Amino acid sequence: MSGMTVANRPRLVAYHRDGVPAAVRGRGGASAVALRQPTRPAAGNGRGSAPAAGNTRRGASARIGTGLGLLLAALALLLGPATPAHAHAVLVSSSPVADSVLSAPPTEVVLTFSETVRHVPGKIRVIGPDGSRVDRGEPTLNGAVVTIPVDPGGPRGTYLVTYRVISADSHPVAGAYTYSVGAPSPPPTDTGADRVDPAVGVAVRVAKYLGYAGLLLLIGPVLVLTLLWPRRLDRTGPARLLWTGIGLIALSTVAALWLQVPYTAGGGLFAVSGAAFGDVLGSTFGAALLVRLGILAAVAILVRPVVTGQAGRADQILLVVLGVVGLITWPVAGHPAASPVPAVSVVVDAVHLAGMAVWLGGLVMLGVFLLRRATERELDAILPVWSRWATLAVSALLLAGLVQALIEVGTVNALVSTTYGRLLIAKILLFALVIAVAAYSRRLVQRRLLADGWAEPEEEDVRDEPVGEDLPEEPVAEDVSDEPVAEEDTPKHGDPGSTLGTVRTRRAVWAELAITAVVLAFSAILVQTPPARSAEEYADGGTAGYYSATLTSSLYSLQVEVDPARVGSNSIHLYAYTLDNKPMPVVEWRATAALPDQGIEPIEIPLLPLTDNHVTGEISLPRPGSWQLRFTLRTSDIDQATVTSTVPIT
């Protein structure tokens, strides 16, 4: 017996059965030190538990109010008015060229996009001057090139080409342009075009948010129940949280499959046909989500031993493998699959999701259960382990986020001048705030350990302490039963609410969770926003070869986009919004372009309505210079207003 250390004494087994989690037993010194700590006064300062309990009650209202306020901010981000939709892929060229005048009708129309696209059945049309369709048969898709056969015997006049395709990252790409044969005529309208209900876009974002929430509510409980949960505590609450996470992921996945039909093809929430739904299931997006549902079903079976505390090593390994494969289904169905380096982007995004789920899921378990139910002695063993896990998870988040930013943003200019970049900056600022709160939590844990004498030299001394038969017997709980102990049977001195340090730790955890609820909302929006690298090249204003501005009158706010803002053919898109940034129906649109300093009088711009608040037009600008674009919008029988913008054409 002379060679035994305190870490090996039978008393350690008794303590484990009284609550020490399995994950902290491997470091014998730490557990032994926790065992030998003298019982502290209830308040940690010798004055009883009343002050800390009072602080808890007084802080409850402020904590709940702060959390609700930040959650409402997250919902406001998700449910806010939709902005003009952009996808990852864009139309980079066409034949015939937009706004061109041909001497004879073409036999085909060719559209070239910036990346591979998929066909939406019935959504690529060519309309003749008389309003009838002149496209013949289904279009042919070859990667990024779409070829539309047309009737070569069509009449003279202006033709309208409308299209809706799906980019490689599963987002829809819609647009229209005109060309003429012989001479221009009033442009036709596409009466068969389906408008996307704004509720669909909101529902897509909400579904993604629920999926992220479900992911952390699944991974957090599984991880803590497997490695950190004290055996004496009841598992009912964490089990409910775990099943809620599985339910949210399943609901989010099914909703995403359903919403993908109206999101890509147009229409309302219930504009879903069997054929269109089958096309979604047959796509990469649909296959990834079906795999996710299959993995979720397998996980639902394998987590039962985790819930009951009987999971073996084989169960744990299978859960890890399924978890990794399941995480990959998120990036495969989003932007990373269409990045310049898809393999790297998919892996990095999966690491990013895993770090988020481990960190936030663990915080939920700490805030909801462990900091309320575990004794001080159990927390002394749990918190250092969790602190190391959180550090690793946050490090993975930061590293993966940095790599993602380098891939998806590309340049500093894209970071500050694109919607994606600005959202990323906002997310980074919120994340920095969360890191500050997490650092405060870590300091609280370190202070707790120093106060308890957890310094490494002492730990080594304890491990080296000999144990013999003549060693005085220490008081040890006689009941070493494996049966869980009800929460009300926990010793009062072990109540985490009885120390001010634990109360502060709990507050910090809830602050982290509240702020990260908003961070998740930004993440849900980011995955629906085109990456900055493509937005800078093709879409966002302020960059060479593109112009974008928002003009405001007393009646409306008008977003103007001119592409490519160079001499020759240019596409113009106009989006009308109310002054509180909601889509605004317009009764009549008029637009002109002039170059007064070079004697070019106003040229009428033909406009084609795509929705009640969005029109597009094509105009050929023959000279470089500062063109004056004038827009008049009539919003009712008596209300109209005119706005003007100066567009530099190079």
Side-chain angles (χ1 to χ4, degrees):
M1 294 290 290
S2 60
M4 289 186 71
T5 65
V6 173
N8 300 118
R9 291 165 58 182
R11 146 171 99 96
L12 177 60
V13 176
Y15 177 50
H16 166 59
R17 293 185 178 183
D18 189 48
V20 173
V24 301
R25 289 194 298 143
R27 194 178 177 189
S31 297
V33 172
L35 282 174
R36 71 182 183 90
Q37 298 307 313
T39 302
R40 292 189 296 273
N45 56 11
R47 289 179 289 185
S49 62
N55 288 337
T56 303
R57 288 191 296 270
R58 285 193 298 270
S61 298
R63 185 165 63 250
I64 293 173
T66 302
L68 288 177
L70 289 171
L71 287 173
L72 287 175
L75 289 175
L77 287 170
L78 292 169
L79 302 177
T83 55
H86 297 285
H88 190 168
V90 294
L91 181 68
V92 296
S93 66
S94 64
S95 175
V97 176
D99 204 35
S100 61
V101 179
L102 310 178
S103 59
T107 59
E108 63 182 17
V109 172
V110 180
L111 309 176
T112 303
F113 294 88
S114 59
E115 65 177 38
T116 300
V117 295
R118 290 190 296 110
H119 178 218
V120 179
K123 300 302 178 181
I124 300 178
R125 303 182 178 94
V126 181
I127 310 299
D130 57 358
S132 62
R133 293 182 59 171
V134 296
D135 52 295
R136 295 292 180 263
E138 288 294 318
T140 302
L141 280 74
N142 183 15
V145 180
V146 180
T147 303
I148 313 164
V150 298
D151 182 3
R156 293 167 57 91
T158 298
Y159 290 73
L160 171 67
V161 180
T162 65
Y163 57 87
R164 177 180 285 272
V165 293
I166 304 171
S167 64
D169 56 5
S170 76
H171 294 301
V173 184
Y177 76 92
T178 60
Y179 68 90
S180 300
V181 175
S185 65
T189 59
D190 185 5
T191 57
D194 293 327
R195 300 174 182 175
V196 177
D197 190 334
V200 172
V202 172
V204 168
R205 284 181 283 177
V206 170
K208 289 187 178 294
Y209 187 91
L210 292 178
Y212 294 144
L215 192 61
L216 67 91
L217 292 181
L218 171 59
I219 291 181
V222 168
L223 189 65
V224 172
L225 285 174
T226 303
L227 300 175
L228 285 181
W229 191 255
R231 293 180 61 179
R232 67 172 190 84
L233 292 182
D234 184 59
R235 294 171 173 252
T236 302
R240 290 172 180 168
L241 209 61
L242 186 154
W243 293 116
T244 299
I246 290 178
L248 285 177
I249 296 176
L251 175 63
S252 168
T253 305
V254 172
L257 286 170
W258 179 273
L259 293 170
Q260 186 69 2
V261 176
Y263 179 60
T264 55
L269 290 169
F270 301 101
V272 178
S273 65
F277 193 70
D279 290 337
V280 169
L281 295 179
S283 66
T284 301
F285 175 87
L289 267 60
L290 287 176
V291 169
R292 186 186 304 168
L293 287 175
I295 290 175
L296 200 61
V299 167
I301 297 173
L302 289 174
V303 295
R304 294 182 181 275
V306 173
V307 171
T308 59
Q310 299 173 345
R313 181 60 58 88
D315 296 325
Q316 296 172 8
I317 293 175
L318 282 174
L319 281 173
V320 170
V321 173
L322 290 175
V324 170
V325 178
L327 283 170
I328 291 176
T329 62
W330 266 271
V332 166
H335 287 153
S339 79
V341 281
V344 175
S345 295
V346 167
V347 172
V348 166
D349 197 68
V351 171
H352 194 80
L353 280 174
M356 177 275 295
V358 169
W359 180 30
L360 300 187
L363 284 178
V364 170
M365 291 292 290
L366 278 179
V368 177
F369 300 111
L370 290 177
L371 290 175
R372 294 173 52 203
R373 299 183 180 180
T375 64
E376 291 298 304
R377 187 166 57 175
E378 289 165 348
L379 289 178
D380 285 342
I382 292 171
L383 289 179
V385 178
W386 163 248
S387 183
R388 290 193 295 271
W389 288 4
T391 300
L392 290 174
V394 171
S395 299
L397 270 173
L398 290 174
L399 181 60
L402 176 62
V403 176
Q404 280 181 317
L406 291 175
I407 294 174
E408 301 294 358
V409 177
T411 66
V412 175
N413 184 61
L415 182 65
V416 298
S417 64
T418 65
T419 301
Y420 187 96
R422 290 188 288 268
L423 284 171
L424 185 60
I425 290 174
K427 181 181 176 181
I428 291 171
L429 292 176
L430 283 171
F431 189 73
L433 181 59
V434 176
I435 292 297
V437 178
Y440 172 71
S441 301
R442 185 173 177 81
R443 284 197 298 271
L444 290 177
V445 173
Q446 290 171 343
R447 290 175 187 171
R448 181 193 195 102
L449 299 183
L450 291 175
D452 288 348
W454 270 50
E456 290 295 336
E458 294 185 17
E459 183 180 328
E460 292 173 2
D461 292 343
V462 171
R463 284 199 295 265
D464 294 336
E465 179 183 345
V467 178
E469 294 179 1
D470 57 341
L471 191 67
E473 185 175 354
E474 299 184 26
V476 180
E478 294 183 3
D479 182 9
V480 294
S481 171
D482 289 339
E483 294 299 321
V485 179
E487 186 177 349
E488 56 268 21
D489 295 332
T490 301
K492 293 301 180 184
H493 72 272
D495 185 355
S498 65
T499 63
L500 184 59
T502 305
V503 171
R504 288 174 176 170
T505 303
R506 189 159 60 238
R507 289 175 179 171
V509 167
W510 281 110
E512 287 183 66
L513 288 172
I515 300 170
T516 49
V518 184
V519 175
L520 283 180
F522 275 99
S523 300
I525 296 173
L526 272 173
V527 297
Q528 293 299 110
T529 305
R533 56 185 166 77
S534 59
E536 182 189 35
E537 181 178 358
Y538 297 111
D540 278 356
T543 59
Y546 191 89
Y547 174 84
S548 178
T550 300
L551 313 176
T552 303
S553 72
S554 59
L555 297 177
Y556 56 80
S557 174
L558 183 68
Q559 181 173 334
V560 179
E561 299 177 354
V562 181
D563 184 19
R566 295 192 180 100
V567 171
S569 179
N570 283 265
S571 298
I572 297 177
H573 284 267
L574 306 177
Y575 303 88
Y577 294 91
T578 61
L579 297 181
D580 57 353
N581 202 31
K582 295 180 180 178
M584 183 176 191
V586 176
V587 176
E588 182 182 3
W589 307 73
R590 293 198 303 274
T592 61
L595 191 59
D597 58 354
Q598 297 189 31
I600 298 180
E601 297 298 322
I603 303 171
E604 190 77 20
I605 304 174
L607 299 175
L608 171 70
L610 297 180
T611 68
D612 54 5
N613 80 309
H614 174 202
V615 297
T616 184
E618 299 289 335
I619 185 172
S620 181
L621 302 176
R623 299 179 186 175
S626 298
W627 283 79
Q628 303 294 319
L629 269 60
R630 183 181 178 89
F631 307 101
T632 301
L633 277 63
R634 182 164 63 86
T635 57
S636 69
D637 291 338
I638 59 174
D639 296 318
Q640 75 174 31
T642 300
V643 292
T644 303
S645 179
T646 300
V647 181
I649 301 298
T650 58

